[in-house]
Amino acid sequence: MNKLWKLSESKYDKLIFIKNQTIYKGNLDPEKINKFNLNVETSSNIEIEKELFSIPYKYIKKIINQKGIKHIKIFFGKDSEEELNVEDEKIKNFIFHFLKDDIKGLKYKSELPTFLNYCKAQIFALLILTGVFLWSMYYAIEIANGTIFELRGGGRLGLGGLVFILASLGKTKLILGYSLFIGITLLSLFRKLKSRTERQILHR
Protein backbone atom coordinates (compact mmCIF):
# COMPACT_ATOMS: atom_id res chain seq x y z
CA MET A 1 0.00 0.00 0.00
CA ASN A 2 1.26 3.51 -0.83
CA LYS A 3 1.12 6.31 1.74
CA LEU A 4 2.34 9.91 1.88
CA TRP A 5 3.20 12.32 4.70
CA LYS A 6 4.12 15.95 4.01
CA LEU A 7 5.69 17.37 7.19
CA SER A 8 6.16 21.03 6.32
CA GLU A 9 7.02 22.06 9.91
CA SER A 10 9.69 19.40 10.32
CA LYS A 11 13.35 20.50 10.57
CA TYR A 12 14.67 17.42 8.81
CA ASP A 13 12.40 14.97 6.99
CA LYS A 14 9.74 17.12 5.37
CA LEU A 15 8.60 14.36 3.02
CA ILE A 16 8.07 10.71 3.95
CA PHE A 17 6.19 8.22 1.82
CA ILE A 18 5.78 4.53 1.13
CA LYS A 19 5.73 3.31 -2.45
CA ASN A 20 6.21 -0.15 -3.94
CA GLN A 21 7.32 -1.58 -0.57
CA THR A 22 10.01 1.07 -0.18
CA ILE A 23 10.33 3.86 2.39
CA TYR A 24 11.37 7.25 0.98
CA LYS A 25 12.43 10.23 3.11
CA GLY A 26 14.14 13.57 2.69
CA ASN A 27 14.23 17.31 3.20
CA LEU A 28 13.27 19.08 -0.02
CA ASP A 29 12.22 22.57 -1.03
CA PRO A 30 8.60 23.29 -0.05
CA GLU A 31 7.78 24.01 -3.71
CA LYS A 32 8.84 20.51 -4.75
CA ILE A 33 6.97 18.94 -1.85
CA ASN A 34 3.77 20.79 -2.74
CA LYS A 35 3.99 19.58 -6.34
CA PHE A 36 4.61 15.97 -5.36
CA ASN A 37 1.64 13.66 -5.89
CA LEU A 38 2.10 10.02 -4.91
CA ASN A 39 -0.71 8.79 -7.14
CA VAL A 40 0.51 10.44 -10.34
CA GLU A 41 3.50 9.20 -12.37
CA THR A 42 5.19 12.30 -13.77
CA SER A 43 8.78 13.12 -14.67
CA SER A 44 8.78 15.64 -11.83
CA ASN A 45 7.79 12.97 -9.31
CA ILE A 46 10.44 10.60 -10.62
CA GLU A 47 13.13 13.28 -10.25
CA ILE A 48 11.98 14.02 -6.69
CA GLU A 49 12.15 10.32 -5.79
CA LYS A 50 15.77 10.24 -6.97
CA GLU A 51 16.64 13.01 -4.49
CA LEU A 52 15.28 11.06 -1.54
CA PHE A 53 16.86 8.41 0.65
CA SER A 54 15.13 5.05 0.13
CA ILE A 55 14.97 1.81 2.12
CA PRO A 56 13.31 -1.22 0.49
CA TYR A 57 11.25 -3.36 2.85
CA LYS A 58 13.29 -6.47 2.06
CA TYR A 59 16.45 -4.94 3.57
CA ILE A 60 14.83 -3.92 6.86
CA LYS A 61 15.88 -5.91 9.93
CA LYS A 62 14.40 -3.89 12.77
CA ILE A 63 12.26 -0.81 13.40
CA ILE A 64 12.12 0.94 16.79
CA ASN A 65 9.55 3.53 17.86
CA GLN A 66 10.17 4.92 21.35
CA LYS A 67 7.74 7.13 23.26
CA GLY A 68 9.01 10.71 23.59
CA ILE A 69 11.79 10.24 21.02
CA LYS A 70 11.19 12.29 17.87
CA HIS A 71 12.20 9.68 15.34
CA ILE A 72 11.61 6.11 14.21
CA LYS A 73 14.88 4.20 13.93
CA ILE A 74 15.27 1.71 11.08
CA PHE A 75 18.03 -0.91 10.97
CA PHE A 76 18.72 -2.39 7.55
CA GLY A 77 21.36 -4.09 5.44
CA LYS A 78 24.44 -5.33 7.28
CA ASP A 79 25.04 -2.67 9.92
CA SER A 80 23.21 0.38 8.56
CA GLU A 81 20.63 2.48 10.36
CA GLU A 82 18.54 5.51 9.48
CA GLU A 83 15.97 7.69 11.23
CA LEU A 84 12.55 8.89 10.14
CA ASN A 85 12.44 12.25 11.91
CA VAL A 86 8.88 13.07 12.94
CA GLU A 87 8.29 15.65 15.66
CA ASP A 88 4.55 15.05 16.03
CA GLU A 89 4.07 12.01 18.30
CA LYS A 90 0.68 11.10 16.81
CA ILE A 91 1.98 11.14 13.23
CA LYS A 92 5.08 9.20 14.31
CA ASN A 93 2.93 6.50 15.92
CA PHE A 94 0.68 6.39 12.87
CA ILE A 95 3.68 5.85 10.56
CA PHE A 96 5.01 3.08 12.81
CA HIS A 97 1.69 1.24 12.92
CA PHE A 98 1.32 1.64 9.17
CA LEU A 99 4.69 -0.06 8.73
CA LYS A 100 3.69 -2.69 11.28
CA ASP A 101 0.66 -3.61 9.18
CA ASP A 102 2.28 -3.18 5.78
CA ILE A 103 5.61 -5.02 6.19
CA LYS A 104 5.04 -8.75 6.19
CA GLY A 105 7.36 -11.04 8.14
CA LEU A 106 8.25 -8.66 10.97
CA LYS A 107 7.46 -9.67 14.55
CA TYR A 108 6.18 -7.12 17.08
CA LYS A 109 7.10 -6.59 20.72
CA SER A 110 6.86 -3.82 23.28
CA GLU A 111 9.41 -3.34 26.08
CA LEU A 112 10.95 -0.94 28.56
CA PRO A 113 14.75 -0.89 28.02
CA THR A 114 16.72 -2.19 30.99
CA PHE A 115 18.83 0.29 32.92
CA LEU A 116 22.11 -1.41 31.98
CA ASN A 117 21.34 -1.70 28.26
CA TYR A 118 19.98 1.82 27.95
CA CYS A 119 22.74 3.61 29.88
CA LYS A 120 25.73 1.36 29.15
CA ALA A 121 27.75 4.15 27.50
CA GLN A 122 27.40 6.41 30.56
CA ILE A 123 28.07 3.53 32.98
CA PHE A 124 31.16 2.51 31.02
CA ALA A 125 32.40 6.12 31.11
CA LEU A 126 31.90 6.25 34.90
CA LEU A 127 33.89 3.05 35.38
CA ILE A 128 36.73 4.21 33.12
CA LEU A 129 36.92 7.63 34.78
CA THR A 130 36.92 6.11 38.26
CA GLY A 131 39.54 3.53 37.32
CA VAL A 132 41.88 6.13 35.83
CA PHE A 133 41.30 8.42 38.84
CA LEU A 134 42.14 5.72 41.41
CA TRP A 135 45.21 4.63 39.45
CA SER A 136 46.40 8.23 39.10
CA MET A 137 45.67 8.95 42.76
CA TYR A 138 47.83 6.01 43.82
CA TYR A 139 50.78 7.46 41.88
CA ALA A 140 50.04 10.97 43.16
CA ILE A 141 50.17 9.75 46.78
CA GLU A 142 53.42 7.87 46.16
CA ILE A 143 54.98 10.93 44.47
CA ALA A 144 53.89 13.10 47.40
CA ASN A 145 55.60 10.62 49.73
CA GLY A 146 58.86 10.99 47.84
CA THR A 147 58.78 7.99 45.53
CA ILE A 148 60.54 8.58 42.21
CA PHE A 149 59.13 6.93 39.08
CA GLU A 150 60.80 6.52 35.70
CA LEU A 151 58.56 6.69 32.64
CA ARG A 152 59.62 4.34 29.84
CA GLY A 153 58.13 3.49 26.46
CA GLY A 154 60.25 5.00 23.71
CA GLY A 155 58.38 8.30 23.62
CA ARG A 156 54.97 6.71 23.05
CA LEU A 157 52.30 7.81 25.47
CA GLY A 158 50.19 4.85 26.54
CA LEU A 159 47.56 4.63 29.25
CA GLY A 160 50.23 4.20 31.91
CA GLY A 161 52.00 7.32 30.70
CA LEU A 162 48.75 9.28 30.72
CA VAL A 163 48.02 8.13 34.26
CA PHE A 164 51.52 9.18 35.36
CA ILE A 165 51.09 12.65 33.80
CA LEU A 166 47.75 13.06 35.60
CA ALA A 167 49.35 11.93 38.86
CA SER A 168 52.07 14.57 38.47
CA LEU A 169 49.36 17.27 38.67
CA GLY A 170 48.93 16.50 42.36
CA LYS A 171 46.14 15.15 44.54
CA THR A 172 44.12 18.37 44.74
CA LYS A 173 43.96 18.95 40.96
CA LEU A 174 43.22 15.26 40.42
CA ILE A 175 40.23 15.40 42.76
CA LEU A 176 38.93 18.62 41.19
CA GLY A 177 39.31 17.25 37.66
CA TYR A 178 37.68 13.93 38.56
CA SER A 179 34.80 15.74 40.28
CA LEU A 180 34.20 17.89 37.19
CA PHE A 181 34.20 15.01 34.72
CA ILE A 182 32.20 12.70 36.96
CA GLY A 183 29.62 15.46 37.41
CA ILE A 184 29.28 15.88 33.62
CA THR A 185 28.96 12.11 33.17
CA LEU A 186 26.34 11.81 35.93
CA LEU A 187 24.34 14.66 34.37
CA SER A 188 24.42 12.81 31.04
CA LEU A 189 23.31 9.63 32.82
CA PHE A 190 20.33 11.35 34.48
CA ARG A 191 19.26 12.92 31.18
CA LYS A 192 19.48 9.52 29.52
CA LEU A 193 17.36 7.95 32.26
CA LYS A 194 14.67 10.59 31.76
CA SER A 195 14.27 9.41 28.17
CA ARG A 196 13.98 5.72 29.16
CA THR A 197 10.45 5.04 28.00
CA GLU A 198 8.55 2.17 26.46
CA ARG A 199 9.55 1.29 22.92
CA GLN A 200 7.74 -0.64 20.22
CA ILE A 201 9.90 -2.92 18.11
CA LEU A 202 9.42 -4.67 14.77
CA HIS A 203 12.07 -7.28 14.05
CA ARG A 204 12.89 -10.29 11.88
Side-chain angles (χ1 to χ4, degrees), residues 26-98:
N27 189 351
L28 302 177
D29 293 334
E31 186 177 345
K32 288 185 178 181
I33 294 174
N34 291 333
K35 289 180 179 179
F36 186 79
N37 188 334
L38 186 61
N39 300 315
V40 178
E41 288 293 336
T42 64
S43 58
S44 175
N45 279 359
I46 294 172
E47 289 302 314
I48 288 174
E49 289 178 17
K50 290 179 180 179
E51 294 183 45
L52 301 172
F53 187 85
S54 62
I55 310 172
Y57 280 2
K58 63 182 179 180
Y59 296 137
I60 294 175
K61 292 182 177 179
K62 185 192 293 186
I63 301 175
I64 297 177
N65 177 39
Q66 186 170 347
K67 184 178 180 181
I69 304 297
K70 296 182 178 182
H71 63 254
I72 297 171
K73 185 161 285 189
I74 301 176
F75 299 84
F76 61 98
K78 272 195 172 182
D79 298 303
S80 300
E81 61 181 78
E82 189 64 34
E83 295 172 357
L84 299 181
N85 296 283
V86 185
E87 297 181 14
D88 189 298
E89 187 79 13
K90 289 183 179 179
I91 296 176
K92 182 170 71 81
N93 290 335
F94 184 87
I95 293 174
F96 176 81
H97 285 287
F98 178 87

Coordinates of all heavy atoms in Angstrom, one line a residue, residues 26-98:
G26 N 13.2 12.5 3.0 CA 14.1 13.6 2.7 C 13.6 14.9 3.0 O 12.5 15.1 3.4
N27 N 14.5 15.9 2.9 CA 14.2 17.3 3.2 C 14.4 18.1 1.9 O 15.5 18.4 1.5 CB 15.2 17.8 4.3 CG 14.8 19.2 4.8 OD1 13.9 19.8 4.3 ND2 15.5 19.6 5.8
L28 N 13.3 18.4 1.3 CA 13.3 19.1 0.0 C 12.7 20.5 0.1 O 12.1 20.9 1.1 CB 12.5 18.3 -1.0 CG 12.9 16.8 -1.3 CD1 11.9 16.2 -2.3 CD2 14.3 16.8 -1.8
D29 N 12.8 21.2 -1.0 CA 12.2 22.6 -1.0 C 10.7 22.4 -0.9 O 10.1 21.5 -1.5 CB 12.6 23.3 -2.3 CG 14.1 23.6 -2.4 OD1 14.7 23.7 -1.4 OD2 14.5 23.7 -3.6
P30 N 10.1 23.3 -0.2 CA 8.6 23.3 -0.1 C 7.9 23.3 -1.4 O 6.8 22.6 -1.5 CB 8.3 24.6 0.7 CG 9.5 24.9 1.5 CD 10.7 24.4 0.6
E31 N 8.4 24.0 -2.4 CA 7.8 24.0 -3.7 C 7.7 22.6 -4.3 O 6.7 22.2 -4.9 CB 8.6 25.0 -4.6 CG 7.9 25.2 -6.0 CD 8.6 26.2 -6.8 OE1 9.5 26.9 -6.3 OE2 8.3 26.2 -8.0
K32 N 8.8 21.9 -4.2 CA 8.8 20.5 -4.7 C 7.9 19.6 -4.0 O 7.2 18.8 -4.6 CB 10.3 19.9 -4.7 CG 11.2 20.6 -5.7 CD 12.6 19.8 -5.6 CE 13.6 20.4 -6.6 NZ 14.9 19.7 -6.5
I33 N 7.9 19.8 -2.7 CA 7.0 18.9 -1.9 C 5.5 19.2 -2.2 O 4.7 18.3 -2.3 CB 7.2 19.2 -0.4 CG1 8.6 18.7 0.0 CG2 6.2 18.5 0.5 CD1 9.1 19.1 1.4
N34 N 5.2 20.4 -2.4 CA 3.8 20.8 -2.7 C 3.3 20.2 -4.1 O 2.2 19.8 -4.3 CB 3.6 22.3 -2.8 CG 3.7 22.9 -1.4 OD1 3.4 22.3 -0.4 ND2 4.1 24.2 -1.3
K35 N 4.3 20.1 -5.0 CA 4.0 19.6 -6.3 C 3.9 18.1 -6.3 O 3.3 17.5 -7.2 CB 5.1 20.0 -7.4 CG 5.0 21.5 -7.7 CD 6.1 21.8 -8.7 CE 6.0 23.3 -9.1 NZ 7.1 23.6 -10.1
F36 N 4.5 17.4 -5.4 CA 4.6 16.0 -5.4 C 3.2 15.3 -5.1 O 2.5 15.7 -4.2 CB 5.6 15.5 -4.3 CG 5.8 14.0 -4.3 CD1 6.7 13.5 -5.3 CD2 5.2 13.2 -3.5 CE1 6.9 12.1 -5.3 CE2 5.4 11.8 -3.5 CZ 6.3 11.3 -4.4
N37 N 2.9 14.4 -6.0 CA 1.6 13.7 -5.9 C 2.0 12.2 -6.0 O 2.4 11.7 -7.1 CB 0.7 14.1 -7.0 CG -0.7 13.5 -6.8 OD1 -0.9 12.4 -6.2 ND2 -1.7 14.2 -7.3
L38 N 1.7 11.4 -4.9 CA 2.1 10.0 -4.9 C 1.3 9.2 -5.9 O 1.8 8.2 -6.4 CB 1.8 9.5 -3.5 CG 2.3 8.0 -3.2 CD1 3.8 7.9 -3.4 CD2 1.9 7.6 -1.8
N39 N 0.2 9.6 -6.3 CA -0.7 8.8 -7.1 C -0.6 9.1 -8.6 O -1.3 8.6 -9.4 CB -2.2 8.9 -6.7 CG -2.4 8.5 -5.3 OD1 -1.9 7.4 -4.9 ND2 -3.1 9.3 -4.5
V40 N 0.3 10.0 -8.9 CA 0.5 10.4 -10.3 C 2.0 10.2 -10.8 O 2.9 10.6 -10.1 CB 0.2 11.9 -10.5 CG1 0.4 12.3 -12.0 CG2 -1.3 12.2 -10.1
E41 N 2.2 9.5 -11.9 CA 3.5 9.2 -12.4 C 3.9 10.3 -13.4 O 3.4 10.3 -14.5 CB 3.5 7.8 -13.1 CG 3.5 6.7 -12.1 CD 4.7 6.6 -11.2 OE1 5.8 7.0 -11.6 OE2 4.6 6.0 -10.1
T42 N 4.7 11.2 -12.9 CA 5.2 12.3 -13.8 C 6.7 12.3 -13.7 O 7.3 11.8 -12.8 CB 4.6 13.7 -13.3 OG1 5.1 14.0 -12.0 CG2 3.1 13.6 -13.3
S43 N 7.3 13.0 -14.7 CA 8.8 13.1 -14.7 C 9.3 13.9 -13.4 O 10.3 13.6 -12.9 CB 9.2 13.8 -15.9 OG 8.7 15.1 -16.1
S44 N 8.4 14.9 -13.0 CA 8.8 15.6 -11.8 C 8.8 14.8 -10.6 O 9.7 14.9 -9.8 CB 7.7 16.8 -11.6 OG 8.0 17.5 -10.4
N45 N 7.8 13.9 -10.5 CA 7.8 13.0 -9.3 C 9.0 12.0 -9.3 O 9.6 11.7 -8.3 CB 6.5 12.2 -9.3 CG 5.3 12.9 -8.7 OD1 5.5 14.1 -8.3 ND2 4.2 12.3 -8.7
I46 N 9.3 11.5 -10.5 CA 10.4 10.6 -10.6 C 11.7 11.3 -10.2 O 12.6 10.7 -9.5 CB 10.5 10.1 -12.1 CG1 9.3 9.2 -12.4 CG2 11.8 9.3 -12.3 CD1 9.2 8.8 -13.8
E47 N 11.9 12.5 -10.6 CA 13.1 13.3 -10.2 C 13.2 13.5 -8.7 O 14.3 13.4 -8.1 CB 13.2 14.6 -11.0 CG 13.5 14.5 -12.5 CD 14.8 13.8 -12.8 OE1 15.8 14.1 -12.1 OE2 14.8 12.9 -13.6
I48 N 12.0 13.8 -8.1 CA 12.0 14.0 -6.7 C 12.4 12.7 -6.0 O 13.1 12.8 -5.0 CB 10.6 14.5 -6.3 CG1 10.4 16.0 -6.7 CG2 10.4 14.4 -4.8 CD1 9.0 16.5 -6.5
E49 N 11.8 11.6 -6.4 CA 12.2 10.3 -5.8 C 13.7 10.0 -5.8 O 14.2 9.5 -4.9 CB 11.4 9.2 -6.5 CG 9.9 9.2 -6.2 CD 9.2 8.1 -7.0 OE1 9.8 7.1 -7.4 OE2 7.9 8.2 -7.1
K50 N 14.3 10.5 -6.9 CA 15.8 10.2 -7.0 C 16.6 11.1 -5.9 O 17.7 10.7 -5.6 CB 16.3 10.6 -8.4 CG 15.8 9.6 -9.5 CD 16.3 10.1 -10.8 CE 15.8 9.1 -11.9 NZ 16.3 9.6 -13.3
E51 N 16.0 12.2 -5.5 CA 16.6 13.0 -4.5 C 16.5 12.5 -3.1 O 17.1 13.0 -2.1 CB 16.1 14.4 -4.6 CG 16.4 15.2 -5.9 CD 15.9 16.6 -5.8 OE1 16.1 17.3 -4.8 OE2 15.2 17.0 -6.8
L52 N 15.6 11.5 -2.9 CA 15.3 11.1 -1.5 C 16.1 9.8 -1.2 O 16.5 9.0 -2.0 CB 13.8 10.8 -1.4 CG 12.9 11.9 -1.7 CD1 11.4 11.5 -1.8 CD2 13.0 13.0 -0.7
F53 N 16.2 9.6 0.1 CA 16.9 8.4 0.6 C 15.8 7.3 0.7 O 14.7 7.6 1.1 CB 17.4 8.6 2.1 CG 18.2 7.5 2.6 CD1 19.5 7.4 2.3 CD2 17.6 6.5 3.4 CE1 20.3 6.3 2.8 CE2 18.3 5.5 3.9 CZ 19.7 5.4 3.6
S54 N 16.1 6.1 0.2 CA 15.1 5.1 0.1 C 15.6 3.8 0.8 O 16.8 3.5 0.8 CB 14.8 4.7 -1.3 OG 16.0 4.3 -2.0
I55 N 14.7 3.1 1.4 CA 15.0 1.8 2.1 C 13.9 0.8 1.7 O 12.8 0.9 2.1 CB 14.9 2.0 3.6 CG1 15.8 3.1 4.1 CG2 15.4 0.7 4.3 CD1 15.6 3.5 5.6
P56 N 14.3 -0.2 0.9 CA 13.3 -1.2 0.5 C 12.9 -2.1 1.7 O 13.8 -2.4 2.5 CB 14.1 -2.0 -0.6 CG 15.1 -1.1 -1.1 CD 15.5 -0.3 0.1
Y57 N 11.7 -2.5 1.7 CA 11.2 -3.4 2.8 C 12.1 -4.6 3.0 O 12.4 -5.0 4.2 CB 9.8 -3.8 2.6 CG 8.7 -2.8 2.9 CD1 9.0 -1.6 3.3 CD2 7.4 -3.2 2.7 CE1 8.0 -0.7 3.6 CE2 6.4 -2.3 3.0 CZ 6.7 -1.0 3.4 OH 5.7 -0.1 3.7
K58 N 12.6 -5.2 2.0 CA 13.3 -6.5 2.1 C 14.6 -6.4 2.8 O 15.2 -7.4 3.3 CB 13.5 -7.1 0.7 CG 14.4 -6.2 -0.2 CD 14.5 -6.9 -1.6 CE 15.3 -6.0 -2.6 NZ 15.4 -6.7 -3.9
Y59 N 15.2 -5.1 2.9 CA 16.5 -4.9 3.6 C 16.3 -4.6 5.1 O 17.3 -4.6 5.8 CB 17.3 -3.8 2.9 CG 17.6 -4.1 1.5 CD1 17.5 -3.1 0.5 CD2 18.1 -5.4 1.1 CE1 17.9 -3.4 -0.8 CE2 18.5 -5.6 -0.2 CZ 18.4 -4.6 -1.2 OH 18.7 -4.9 -2.5
I60 N 15.1 -4.4 5.5 CA 14.8 -3.9 6.9 C 14.9 -5.1 7.8 O 14.3 -6.1 7.6 CB 13.5 -3.2 7.0 CG1 13.4 -1.9 6.2 CG2 13.1 -3.0 8.5 CD1 12.1 -1.3 6.1
K61 N 15.7 -4.9 8.9 CA 15.9 -5.9 9.9 C 15.1 -5.6 11.2 O 14.6 -6.5 11.9 CB 17.4 -6.1 10.3 CG 18.2 -6.7 9.2 CD 19.6 -6.8 9.6 CE 20.5 -7.5 8.6 NZ 21.9 -7.6 9.0
K62 N 15.1 -4.3 11.5 CA 14.4 -3.9 12.8 C 13.9 -2.5 12.7 O 14.6 -1.6 12.0 CB 15.4 -4.0 14.0 CG 14.7 -3.7 15.3 CD 15.8 -3.6 16.4 CE 16.5 -4.9 16.7 NZ 17.5 -4.7 17.8
I63 N 12.8 -2.2 13.3 CA 12.3 -0.8 13.4 C 11.9 -0.5 14.9 O 11.2 -1.3 15.5 CB 11.0 -0.6 12.5 CG1 11.3 -0.9 11.1 CG2 10.5 0.8 12.7 CD1 10.1 -0.9 10.1
I64 N 12.4 0.6 15.4 CA 12.1 0.9 16.8 C 11.4 2.3 16.9 O 11.9 3.3 16.3 CB 13.4 1.0 17.6 CG1 14.1 -0.3 17.6 CG2 13.1 1.5 19.0 CD1 15.4 -0.3 18.4
N65 N 10.3 2.3 17.6 CA 9.5 3.5 17.9 C 9.5 3.7 19.4 O 8.8 2.9 20.1 CB 8.1 3.4 17.3 CG 7.3 4.7 17.6 OD1 7.8 5.8 17.6 ND2 6.0 4.5 17.9
Q66 N 10.1 4.7 19.9 CA 10.2 4.9 21.4 C 9.4 6.2 21.7 O 9.5 7.2 21.1 CB 11.6 5.0 21.8 CG 11.7 5.1 23.4 CD 13.2 5.0 23.8 OE1 14.0 4.6 23.1 NE2 13.4 5.3 25.1
K67 N 8.6 6.0 22.8 CA 7.7 7.1 23.3 C 8.6 8.3 23.7 O 9.6 8.1 24.4 CB 6.9 6.7 24.4 CG 5.9 7.7 24.9 CD 5.1 7.1 26.1 CE 4.1 8.2 26.6 NZ 3.3 7.6 27.7
G68 N 8.3 9.5 23.2 CA 9.0 10.7 23.6 C 10.2 11.0 22.8 O 10.8 12.1 22.9
I69 N 10.7 10.0 21.9 CA 11.8 10.2 21.0 C 11.3 10.6 19.6 O 10.4 10.0 19.1 CB 12.6 9.0 20.9 CG1 13.1 8.5 22.3 CG2 13.8 9.2 20.0 CD1 14.0 9.5 23.0
K70 N 11.8 11.7 19.1 CA 11.2 12.3 17.9 C 11.7 11.7 16.6 O 12.0 12.4 15.6 CB 11.4 13.8 17.9 CG 10.7 14.5 19.0 CD 10.9 16.0 19.0 CE 10.1 16.7 20.1 NZ 10.2 18.1 20.1
H71 N 11.9 10.4 16.6 CA 12.2 9.7 15.3 C 11.9 8.2 15.5 O 11.8 7.7 16.6 CB 13.7 9.9 15.0 CG 14.6 9.3 16.0 ND1 15.4 10.0 16.9 CD2 15.0 8.0 16.3 CE1 16.1 9.3 17.6 NE2 15.9 8.0 17.3
I72 N 11.7 7.6 14.3 CA 11.6 6.1 14.2 C 12.9 5.6 13.7 O 13.4 6.1 12.6 CB 10.5 5.7 13.3 CG1 9.1 6.2 13.8 CG2 10.4 4.2 13.1 CD1 8.0 6.0 12.9
K73 N 13.6 4.7 14.4 CA 14.9 4.2 13.9 C 14.7 2.9 13.1 O 14.0 2.0 13.6 CB 15.8 4.0 15.1 CG 17.2 3.6 14.7 CD 18.2 3.8 15.9 CE 18.5 5.2 16.1 NZ 19.6 5.4 17.0
I74 N 15.4 2.9 12.0 CA 15.3 1.7 11.1 C 16.7 1.1 10.9 O 17.6 1.8 10.5 CB 14.7 2.1 9.7 CG1 13.3 2.7 9.9 CG2 14.6 0.9 8.8 CD1 12.7 3.2 8.6
F75 N 16.8 -0.2 11.2 CA 18.0 -0.9 11.0 C 17.9 -1.8 9.7 O 16.9 -2.5 9.6 CB 18.3 -1.8 12.2 CG 18.5 -1.0 13.5 CD1 17.4 -0.7 14.2 CD2 19.8 -0.7 13.9 CE1 17.6 0.0 15.4 CE2 20.0 0.0 15.1 CZ 18.9 0.4 15.8
F76 N 18.9 -1.7 8.8 CA 18.7 -2.4 7.5 C 20.1 -2.8 7.0 O 21.1 -2.3 7.5 CB 18.0 -1.5 6.5 CG 18.7 -0.3 6.2 CD1 19.5 -0.2 5.0 CD2 18.6 0.9 7.0 CE1 20.1 1.0 4.7 CE2 19.2 2.1 6.7 CZ 20.0 2.1 5.6
G77 N 20.1 -3.7 6.0 CA 21.4 -4.1 5.4 C 22.2 -4.8 6.5 O 21.7 -5.5 7.3
K78 N 23.5 -4.7 6.3 CA 24.4 -5.3 7.3 C 24.5 -4.6 8.6 O 24.1 -5.2 9.6 CB 25.9 -5.4 6.7 CG 26.1 -6.6 5.8 CD 27.6 -6.7 5.6 CE 27.9 -8.1 4.9 NZ 29.4 -8.3 4.7
D79 N 25.0 -3.4 8.7 CA 25.0 -2.7 9.9 C 24.6 -1.2 9.7 O 25.1 -0.3 10.4 CB 26.5 -2.7 10.4 CG 27.0 -4.1 10.8 OD1 26.3 -4.8 11.6 OD2 28.0 -4.5 10.2
S80 N 23.7 -1.0 8.8 CA 23.2 0.4 8.6 C 22.0 0.7 9.4 O 21.2 -0.2 9.8 CB 22.9 0.5 7.1 OG 24.0 0.3 6.3
E81 N 21.8 2.0 9.7 CA 20.6 2.5 10.4 C 20.3 3.9 9.9 O 21.2 4.6 9.5 CB 20.8 2.5 11.9 CG 21.9 3.3 12.4 CD 22.1 3.2 13.9 OE1 22.6 2.2 14.4 OE2 21.6 4.1 14.6
E82 N 19.0 4.2 9.9 CA 18.5 5.5 9.5 C 17.4 5.9 10.4 O 16.7 5.1 11.0 CB 18.1 5.4 8.0 CG 17.8 6.8 7.4 CD 19.0 7.7 7.3 OE1 20.1 7.2 7.1 OE2 18.8 8.9 7.4
E83 N 17.1 7.2 10.4 CA 16.0 7.7 11.2 C 14.9 8.4 10.4 O 15.3 9.2 9.5 CB 16.5 8.7 12.3 CG 17.4 8.0 13.3 CD 18.1 9.0 14.2 OE1 17.8 10.2 14.0 OE2 18.8 8.6 15.1
L84 N 13.7 8.1 10.7 CA 12.5 8.9 10.1 C 12.2 9.9 11.2 O 11.7 9.6 12.2 CB 11.3 8.0 9.9 CG 11.5 6.9 8.9 CD1 10.2 6.1 8.8 CD2 11.9 7.4 7.5
N85 N 12.6 11.2 10.9 CA 12.4 12.3 11.9 C 11.0 12.8 11.8 O 10.7 13.5 10.8 CB 13.5 13.3 11.7 CG 14.9 12.8 11.9 OD1 15.4 12.7 13.0 ND2 15.6 12.6 10.8
V86 N 10.3 12.6 12.9 CA 8.9 13.1 12.9 C 8.7 13.7 14.3 O 8.7 13.0 15.3 CB 7.9 11.9 12.7 CG1 6.5 12.4 12.6 CG2 8.2 11.1 11.4
E87 N 8.4 15.0 14.4 CA 8.3 15.7 15.7 C 6.9 15.4 16.3 O 6.8 15.5 17.5 CB 8.6 17.1 15.5 CG 10.0 17.4 15.0 CD 10.3 18.9 14.8 OE1 9.4 19.7 15.3 OE2 11.3 19.2 14.2
D88 N 5.9 15.3 15.5 CA 4.5 15.0 16.0 C 4.4 13.6 16.5 O 4.5 12.7 15.7 CB 3.5 15.4 15.0 CG 2.1 15.4 15.5 OD1 1.6 14.4 16.0 OD2 1.4 16.5 15.4
E89 N 4.1 13.4 17.8 CA 4.1 12.0 18.3 C 2.9 11.2 17.7 O 3.1 10.0 17.4 CB 3.9 12.1 19.8 CG 3.9 10.7 20.5 CD 5.3 10.2 20.8 OE1 6.3 11.0 20.6 OE2 5.5 9.1 21.1
K90 N 1.8 11.8 17.4 CA 0.7 11.1 16.8 C 1.0 10.6 15.4 O 0.7 9.5 15.0 CB -0.6 12.0 16.8 CG -1.2 12.2 18.2 CD -2.4 13.1 18.1 CE -3.0 13.3 19.5 NZ -4.3 14.1 19.4
I91 N 1.6 11.5 14.6 CA 2.0 11.1 13.2 C 3.1 10.1 13.3 O 3.0 9.1 12.5 CB 2.5 12.4 12.4 CG1 1.3 13.4 12.3 CG2 3.0 12.0 11.1 CD1 1.8 14.7 11.6
K92 N 4.0 10.2 14.2 CA 5.1 9.2 14.3 C 4.5 7.8 14.6 O 4.9 6.8 14.0 CB 6.1 9.6 15.4 CG 7.2 8.7 15.6 CD 8.3 9.3 16.5 CE 7.8 9.3 17.9 NZ 7.9 8.0 18.6
N93 N 3.6 7.8 15.6 CA 2.9 6.5 15.9 C 2.1 5.9 14.8 O 2.1 4.7 14.5 CB 2.0 6.7 17.1 CG 2.8 6.9 18.4 OD1 4.0 6.5 18.5 ND2 2.2 7.6 19.4
F94 N 1.5 6.8 14.0 CA 0.7 6.4 12.9 C 1.6 5.8 11.8 O 1.3 4.7 11.2 CB -0.1 7.6 12.3 CG -1.0 7.2 11.1 CD1 -2.3 6.8 11.4 CD2 -0.6 7.2 9.8 CE1 -3.1 6.4 10.4 CE2 -1.4 6.9 8.8 CZ -2.7 6.4 9.1
I95 N 2.7 6.4 11.5 CA 3.7 5.9 10.6 C 4.2 4.5 11.0 O 4.2 3.5 10.2 CB 4.9 6.8 10.3 CG1 4.4 8.1 9.7 CG2 6.0 6.2 9.5 CD1 5.5 9.2 9.6
F96 N 4.5 4.4 12.3 CA 5.0 3.1 12.8 C 4.0 2.0 12.6 O 4.3 0.9 12.2 CB 5.4 3.2 14.3 CG 5.8 1.9 14.9 CD1 7.1 1.4 14.7 CD2 4.9 1.2 15.6 CE1 7.5 0.2 15.3 CE2 5.3 -0.1 16.2 CZ 6.6 -0.5 16.0
H97 N 2.7 2.3 13.0 CA 1.7 1.2 12.9 C 1.3 0.9 11.5 O 0.9 -0.2 11.2 CB 0.4 1.7 13.7 CG 0.6 1.6 15.2 ND1 0.7 0.3 15.8 CD2 0.9 2.5 16.1 CE1 0.9 0.5 17.1 NE2 1.0 1.8 17.3
F98 N 1.5 1.9 10.6 CA 1.3 1.6 9.2 C 2.4 0.6 8.7 O 2.1 -0.3 8.0 CB 1.4 2.9 8.4 CG 1.3 2.7 6.9 CD1 0.0 2.7 6.3 CD2 2.4 2.5 6.1 CE1 -0.1 2.5 4.9 CE2 2.3 2.3 4.7 CZ 1.0 2.3 4.1

